[in-house]
Amino acid sequence: MHNWYSARELAGLPGMPGTERAIQLRAKRERWEGQGRLGSKAVEYSFGTLPHETQVHLIAASVSATAPEPLPVIELIGPKCDSVLASRLNQDQRSVLTARLAFVREIERMSQTISQQRAIDSLVALAKAEQLSPYLTDRVQRANDRKTSERTLSERTLKRWLSDYRKHGETGLAPTRRQKDMSLPAWSASFLTCYQRPTKPSVEAAYAEFSLKHPAERPSIHVVRRFLNKLSAEARERGRRTPQELKALQPFKRRLTKNLHPCDVFTADGHKFDAEVLNPRTGKPYRPETTTVLDVATRKAVGISIGEAESTIGVLDALRDAVQHGMFAMFYVDNGSGFANDTVREVVDRLGGEMTHALPYNSQARGLIERSHQTIWVNAAKKLTSYIGADMDKHAGTKVHRISRKQLRETGSTRLIPTFAEFMAGVEYEIETYNNSPHRGLAKFRDPLTGKLRHMSPNEAWDAARTEGWEPMVAPAEVLNDLMRPQVIRPTRRGEVTWSGETYFLDALRDFHGQEIRLAYDVRNASRVWVRTLEGDLVGEAILDGNASDYMPKAMLEKAYEKRESGQMKRALDKLETLTGKRVEMIAPCTGPSAQLSAEQLAEAQRFAQLAAPKAPTFEIPADPISKYHLWNQLNDRVKSGALLPPEEAQWHDRWPKHSDYTAMQRMFAHAAQARA
């Protein structure tokens, strides 16, 4: 609406002449208040001096016009609005507030031209006549906040909205909503005592126990269920879960690794393999213990170790494999017995790094290494028939267990359980596959082959860091070998020193009889140990059973065997003579055929003679892949020198290089040779 209208704008309206000239003459005759329009010769007439019929039409036309959409509620803060309360309104309250505010704004706009009472009356009349603008018409029902669509505007309602807005701002227009009653009933503590237990009883079981103990204050089970639904998951499960399991329902802090470089942090953990493997020592099925060392920045698996249980030996073996890629600054591990010991801490200190332990019962802090167990080891175990994880079918697992044990009893081998060599070949494949697969925890880049964006793999992240100028700090092989040998203090007597149930000998130890020395051992080679003084000076290498020899010479033993045999035979003859009363003679063995034997008896005797005769040495293939690799190299050297191999040796020499064990051993020895170089 406007306060001033020209004759052209008023011509033809209700209560007005149809021409501008007639309006000008009437205005002059009735002395209408007028003023000159700025920038024009036209005369404008005041809205208050116009006839009542014309005013009503102008008001209706103004309200019926399409109004623009209002600004968001949060920006339409009234003079006394509490912004904190406004932010706590839900979406339903905000929609009602916005609809009521539209009518408040319309009344304020109309009040600039006419009185507030007349503006309210006009809106009420137009609403009853259904002549409001489409914008206001759509908001009448929402502003009334009623489920029925028959509600319309009233003078009292509009005045109440105006009063609430002027007293409390926008929040005064918001309807009140009934909130949940979050007060604790008197019986809640007694019921939760029965419900919040580690045994996780059902609601019915807890309610039955609660009813027996407290029959007087017993509510219905439906009231109990509604009470439990009001509680948060954390509050409801407290007591039913341990504090460690309850962390799955609690907020957490996400650790970022964007600012780390490779080898800044190594993290390690042990994992019991979820499938059975044949033990290389005993030939019996067992579950290997895998120890994995992960580089946090690139997620690369830099070191692994396979053992029978989590131990210091396995940790040092995995750490030795890891530091060949680069020296670490921090070693982040848990409080397991394989990590929390003086031996590992001593080696870490000598390497110049720092070992940090995670808080007890806080495996979420080491989510990277825990997730790698699923990606590498659990997925690898599920590829084997001998998988015994929790999600393995019970009947299928029982059948595999029964058949494999039967085959082991009858034949000593089974194809249902992989050998250790097959297991190690699969481990190398899984580690290589993991390090070359995209990891969602790493940055994205555009694949040069496909042109698509994807996450980097651990190896690609490692190479990208080197491209940017980072280089790993790698110690020489001889230094690593010395540092990675753990040391213990042992007493020595008469040139001998004992360790791990074995005896080692070094002649130079005669000067240290009765004293204590430092003994350094290799976790992968038990054939020798390195002896140092307490001050750290190297004394030498002590050899396993270095001073051991046969208790008696073999020639003397052979003579003793013959003498014992002759005595036993003589005593047997004397016993026969005593029993029979006849002379018994022992006939010397004869190489010629006996004339007293028939042809069948002679053939039978010759057959037994062939079975008893010493057999020619046969070609035996070792069981472990390392011995196989050494044997193949020996045969290969003979072939290169021009020697002819027997048929069995030649056949195995040609076939074994096609086996996966040969490829795995060749890669392992090549990697070791590069490390020594």
Side-chain angles (χ1 to χ4, degrees):
M1 291 183 60
H2 306 290
N3 289 331
W4 303 89
Y5 294 88
S6 65
R8 179 176 296 180
E9 295 172 342
L10 297 174
L13 296 181
M16 286 290 175
T19 62
E20 297 181 25
R21 180 59 181 168
I23 292 176
Q24 293 173 356
L25 293 175
R26 183 177 177 180
K28 185 176 181 181
R29 183 173 60 253
E30 297 180 359
R31 301 179 180 273
W32 291 356
E33 180 182 1
Q35 66 178 12
R37 175 169 290 184
L38 185 63
S40 174
K41 296 181 179 180
V43 177
E44 297 178 330
Y45 303 101
S46 174
F47 175 83
T49 59
L50 298 178
H52 178 75
E53 186 179 0
T54 306
Q55 291 181 359
V56 172
H57 176 78
L58 290 174
I59 293 173
S62 174
V63 176
S64 301
T66 302
E69 290 290 335
L71 295 175
V73 174
I74 195 65
E75 299 182 5
L76 297 175
I77 304 300
K80 300 179 182 180
C81 178
D82 188 347
S83 59
V84 177
L85 294 177
S87 63
R88 295 180 180 178
L89 300 177
N90 57 33
Q91 186 61 32
D92 179 70
Q93 290 174 305
R94 286 172 178 268
S95 63
V96 176
L97 183 152
T98 305
R100 292 177 178 179
L101 186 62
F103 291 97
V104 171
R105 296 297 190 202
E106 184 66 21
I107 294 173
E108 290 180 344
R109 184 180 63 84
M110 295 173 63
S111 298
Q112 297 177 0
T113 305
I114 58 178
S115 64
Q116 175 180 301
Q117 182 62 41
R118 189 173 183 184
I120 293 175
D121 295 339
S122 300
L123 287 176
V124 171
L126 292 173
K128 291 181 178 180
E130 297 182 356
Q131 295 181 0
L132 291 174
S133 66
Y135 173 76
L136 294 178
T137 302
D138 295 339
R139 281 153 179 77
V140 171
Q141 181 179 351
R142 194 73 192 101
N144 279 291
D145 191 26
R146 295 291 187 274
K147 294 182 179 180
T148 176
S149 59
E150 299 178 357
R151 298 284 298 184
T152 184
L153 295 179
S154 66
E155 176 184 355
R156 183 177 178 180
T157 300
L158 292 176
K159 287 183 177 181
R160 187 182 72 249
W161 292 348
L162 279 173
S163 176
D164 292 340
Y165 176 73
R166 290 166 181 172
K167 289 181 180 179
H168 307 289
E170 286 185 352
T171 55
L173 298 176
T176 57
R177 289 289 184 261
R178 188 175 184 179
Q179 301 296 327
K180 290 183 179 180
D181 183 11
M182 300 305 295
S183 60
L184 295 178
W187 49 264
S188 61
S190 302
F191 172 77
L192 291 178
T193 303
C194 303
Y195 181 73
Q196 293 180 334
R197 293 178 178 176
T199 54
K200 296 181 174 62
S202 63
V203 179
E204 291 80 1
Y207 180 76
E209 180 183 356
F210 166 71
S211 300
L212 292 176
K213 294 181 178 179
H214 307 276
E217 54 180 346
R218 181 181 63 180
S220 67
I221 192 173
H222 306 290
V223 175
V224 172
R225 289 185 183 278
R226 287 194 294 269
F227 165 71
L228 289 177
N229 291 334
K230 293 179 182 179
L231 299 179
S232 64
E234 180 182 356
R236 186 170 56 251
E237 293 298 319
R238 184 174 288 108
R240 296 170 65 88
R241 303 190 186 188
T242 61
Q244 184 179 8
E245 292 182 348
L246 199 60
K247 289 181 179 179
L249 304 176
Q250 296 172 346
F252 64 95
K253 291 184 179 180
R254 189 179 299 276
R255 292 183 174 180
L256 301 179
T257 61
K258 297 179 181 179
N259 299 325
L260 291 178
H261 295 288
C263 294
D264 281 355
V265 182
F266 280 179
T267 182
D269 192 22
H271 173 75
K272 182 66 74 173
F273 195 63
D274 292 329
E276 290 184 327
V277 179
L278 293 180
N279 194 312
R281 294 190 303 103
T282 64
K284 302 296 183 180
Y286 84 117
R287 293 174 61 190
E289 176 75 18
T290 63
T291 303
T292 312
V293 180
L294 210 68
D295 176 64
V296 173
T298 63
R299 311 303 200 273
K300 182 176 181 178
V302 292
I304 60 168
S305 175
I306 308 298
E308 295 186 0
E310 182 177 330
S311 62
T312 303
I313 302 299
V315 173
L316 292 179
D317 193 16
L319 191 58
R320 181 180 190 175
D321 192 18
V323 295
Q324 296 179 6
H325 295 81
M327 302 297 293
F328 60 88
M330 181 174 291
F331 193 41
Y332 186 49
V333 294
D334 60 12
N335 293 275
S337 59
F339 299 99
N341 58 77
D342 295 339
T343 303
V344 175
R345 183 169 293 278
E346 178 185 356
V347 172
V348 172
D349 290 341
R350 294 173 66 191
L351 288 171
E354 180 181 354
M355 185 163 63
T356 302
H357 295 279
L359 294 176
Y361 304 103
N362 191 32
S363 58
Q364 291 86 352
R366 298 178 299 105
L368 294 181
I369 190 69
E370 295 289 347
R371 187 63 182 87
S372 69
H373 294 336
Q374 300 290 327
T375 305
I376 301 175
W377 301 116
V378 175
N379 289 338
K382 289 186 176 182
K383 298 178 182 179
L384 302 178
T385 313
S386 58
Y387 177 67
I388 55 175
D391 53 348
M392 176 68 174
D393 182 77
K394 180 180 178 180
H395 299 286
T398 303
K399 186 176 182 180
V400 170
H401 182 274
R402 185 174 63 252
I403 295 176
S404 62
R405 267 46 177 194
K406 182 179 179 181
Q407 292 176 349
L408 286 174
R409 287 194 305 268
E410 295 177 352
T411 65
S413 62
T414 177
R415 297 306 302 168
L416 297 178
I417 303 178
T419 64
F420 190 77
E422 295 171 341
F423 169 69
M424 289 302 299
V427 166
E428 292 190 3
Y429 171 78
E430 293 295 335
I431 294 297
E432 185 177 358
T433 302
Y434 167 79
N435 286 334
N436 290 319
S437 300
H439 196 293
R440 62 181 182 180
L442 299 175
K444 286 187 176 182
F445 80 116
R446 192 167 297 279
D447 193 317
L449 298 178
T450 62
K452 297 181 179 179
L453 282 175
R454 66 170 177 83
H455 292 282
M456 289 184 178
S457 67
N459 280 337
E460 289 171 341
W462 188 281
D463 295 338
R466 303 192 69 166
T467 303
E468 295 175 357
W470 173 84
E471 287 294 334
M473 182 175 59
V474 181
E478 60 273 10
V479 177
L480 285 179
N481 290 334
D482 182 65
L483 289 178
M484 294 306 295
R485 294 184 186 128
Q487 296 184 6
V488 294
I489 297 178
R490 304 292 294 173
T492 177
R493 293 180 60 85
R494 303 175 63 184
E496 291 182 342
V497 60
T498 59
W499 167 245
S500 188
E502 304 290 348
T503 302
Y504 298 86
F505 175 78
L506 176 62
D507 187 75
L509 284 177
R510 65 173 63 200
D511 300 331
F512 298 89
H513 173 74
Q515 300 180 18
E516 290 185 338
I517 51 91
R518 287 185 178 271
L519 184 147
Y521 60 91
D522 192 337
V523 297
R524 298 193 181 190
N525 185 7
S527 63
R528 64 191 65 222
V529 294
W530 290 261
V531 179
R532 295 177 180 270
T533 64
L534 294 179
E535 290 75 19
D537 298 328
L538 180 64
V539 178
E541 295 182 4
I543 306 301
L544 176 65
D545 297 330
N547 60 337
S549 61
D550 292 334
Y551 190 80
M552 294 297 291
K554 289 185 178 180
M556 295 182 64
L557 286 177
E558 291 174 359
K559 292 180 181 180
Y561 292 154
E562 293 177 0
K563 186 176 180 180
R564 183 178 61 179
E565 183 180 354
S566 300
Q568 290 175 348
M569 294 179 67
K570 184 179 179 180
R571 287 190 296 273
L573 292 175
D574 293 341
K575 188 174 183 179
L576 289 173
E577 290 179 356
T578 302
L579 293 174
T580 60
K582 299 179 181 179
R583 180 176 176 80
V584 179
E585 295 183 358
M586 184 172 57
I587 302 176
C590 178
T591 57
S594 175
Q596 299 178 356
L597 297 178
S598 64
E600 295 179 357
Q601 293 175 338
L602 181 61
E604 187 71 13
Q606 290 177 348
R607 187 175 68 84
F608 278 105
Q610 292 176 358
L611 294 175
K615 298 181 179 179
T618 58
F619 176 62
E620 296 183 358
I621 302 175
D624 61 294
I626 297 180
S627 300
K628 289 181 181 179
Y629 186 74
H630 289 311
L631 176 60
W632 186 88
N633 285 329
Q634 295 174 3
L635 297 178
N636 194 45
D637 293 339
R638 291 169 56 186
V639 171
K640 291 182 179 179
S641 62
L644 295 177
L645 300 178
E648 294 182 358
E649 297 181 359
Q651 183 180 12
W652 184 80
H653 177 268
D654 294 337
R655 291 184 176 180
W656 196 66
K658 302 176 183 178
H659 198 273
S660 60
D661 289 353
Y662 173 81
T663 305
M665 293 298 103
Q666 189 180 39
R667 189 184 306 113
M668 184 183 71
F669 280 96
H671 183 70
Q674 293 178 0
R676 288 193 298 269

